[in-house]
Amino acid sequence: MLATSGVTERPSVGVFVDGQPDTPIGWCLMYQSGCLGPLYVMVGHRGKALARLMVRVMFRRVDQVHGLGPFAMIADDNVASQGLFTSEGWVKDNHSKLLVRK
């Protein structure tokens, strides 16, 4: 189950299948700290660049609308997510496990 309080209070983006507006197949939310995440695409819908699209939308929304410098924490073993973010221009902060957009 997906908690809804953060979805309505902070920037978020979701991807839905036509005709199923209550069932997201992907989402990207922002934690209360301002950290981007969680980013998730349902298994059957991966490989369609949906996560890339959501990261781009969230970056624009957070950067332009809210004036915040977006950042993300990605687990060391999540190579796919690290590759996605670095291909979008995010860089690893040398002092932590954060990826920041320069």
Side-chain angles (χ1 to χ4, degrees):
M1 182 190 311
L2 192 61
T4 58
S5 64
V7 175
T8 58
E9 297 169 6
R10 294 181 290 281
S12 62
V13 63
V15 178
F16 300 84
V17 174
D18 285 340
Q20 298 178 5
D22 295 329
T23 309
I25 59 169
W27 52 86
C28 184
L29 310 175
M30 177 179 277
Y31 290 107
Q32 189 172 4
S33 65
C35 182
L36 205 61
L39 171 65
Y40 188 78
V41 176
M42 301 293 276
V43 174
H45 299 278
R46 294 181 184 172
K48 301 176 184 178
L50 298 175
R52 181 176 306 279
L53 176 65
M54 289 187 290
V55 167
R56 288 178 181 175
V57 168
M58 283 293 284
F59 171 72
R60 282 193 294 272
R61 186 171 292 164
V62 171
D63 186 48
Q64 295 172 359
V65 176
H66 297 279
L68 301 172
F71 66 99
M73 290 188 289
I74 301 173
D76 289 335
D77 62 347
N78 192 340
V79 178
S81 190
Q82 289 177 20
L84 166 66
F85 277 81
T86 56
S87 73
E88 288 294 313
W90 295 61
V91 295
K92 188 171 184 176
D93 181 316
N94 291 327
H95 303 290
S96 65
K97 294 184 176 190
L98 299 178
L99 286 174
V100 294
R101 179 69 191 257
K102 296 288 184 180

